[in-house]
Amino acid sequence: MGESEKNRLIAWNLELQAAHQRLHRALRLARESLEAGDTASARADLLLYCKGFCAALDGHHVREDVGLLPELSARHPSLRPTIAKLQQDHEMIAMLLGRFDRAITSDATPGELAMHLDGLSAIMESHFRYEERALLGVLSTLDLDADPHDLLGPL
């Protein structure tokens, strides 16, 4: 196997980790904005950062649900219970993102907004750790000729 073949085979493993790292950074920026103190500025920053963060996180999960996870399910039937759990997490995160979006555009206090971020952060961290434990090994050997953006979202 040549070096380019080897690089292509490990790309899915690295792409998933990179997508998760970018989402972590976006969440950190949202939290820093909220913790800055000035409620009006924090709300404006949250609208900017969190709309982008929410869209990125939701887009990542939608792309996984319609691209990557069905491919893994077809190639690795033993992963179907794991994939079902990941998709259940995606639904829960989408619900939390919707609530957070409504809180940002309402009169929610900074404390309420922080609680939404805490909840999102907790489920996101748990989901990413589980997903990486369950899938990185398989992804490191996945021979799939596809654009990572099609399967993981445009992060």
Side-chain angles (χ1 to χ4, degrees):
M1 175 183 303
E3 191 61 34
S4 64
E5 276 290 303
K6 223 183 244 185
N7 288 340
R8 190 172 65 79
L9 285 176
I10 64 169
W12 291 106
N13 188 352
L14 298 176
E15 283 293 331
L16 182 65
Q17 289 175 309
H20 288 174
Q21 289 168 0
R22 287 188 291 273
L23 288 166
H24 281 293
R25 280 193 297 273
L27 181 63
R28 188 186 72 246
L29 286 173
R31 185 171 301 285
E32 288 171 1
S33 174
L34 183 60
E35 292 170 354
D38 176 11
T39 304
S41 294
R43 188 172 302 284
D45 287 346
L46 280 172
L47 281 169
L48 175 67
Y49 293 131
C50 294
K51 289 290 186 173
F53 164 72
C54 292
L57 182 58
D58 190 54
H60 169 64
H61 288 155
V62 167
R63 293 309 314 154
E64 281 184 338
D65 286 345
V66 300
L68 181 64
L69 297 181
E71 187 69 38
L72 288 176
S73 181
R75 291 174 183 234
H76 301 276
S78 64
L79 286 176
R80 288 181 182 153
T82 299
I83 290 168
K85 164 78 170 90
L86 292 170
Q87 289 172 321
Q88 183 181 26
D89 283 357
H90 291 174
E91 291 172 13
M92 182 186 312
I93 290 170
M95 180 190 65
L96 293 172
L97 288 172
R99 289 179 182 171
F100 185 47
D101 184 50
R102 287 188 294 280
I104 292 170
T105 57
S106 72
D107 290 331
T109 67
E112 291 169 327
L113 294 172
M115 286 187 344
H116 283 281
L117 279 177
D118 290 344
L120 274 168
S121 179
I123 187 68
M124 191 176 94
E125 293 293 329
S126 172
H127 172 75
F128 287 172
R129 279 193 310 271
Y130 177 71
E131 185 173 58
E132 289 177 4
R133 267 193 330 269
L135 299 183
L136 287 184
V138 171
L139 290 175
S140 71
T141 62
L142 185 64
D143 185 9
L144 179 62
D145 189 23
D147 183 340
H149 292 125
D150 290 342
L151 301 185
L152 298 175
L155 297 173

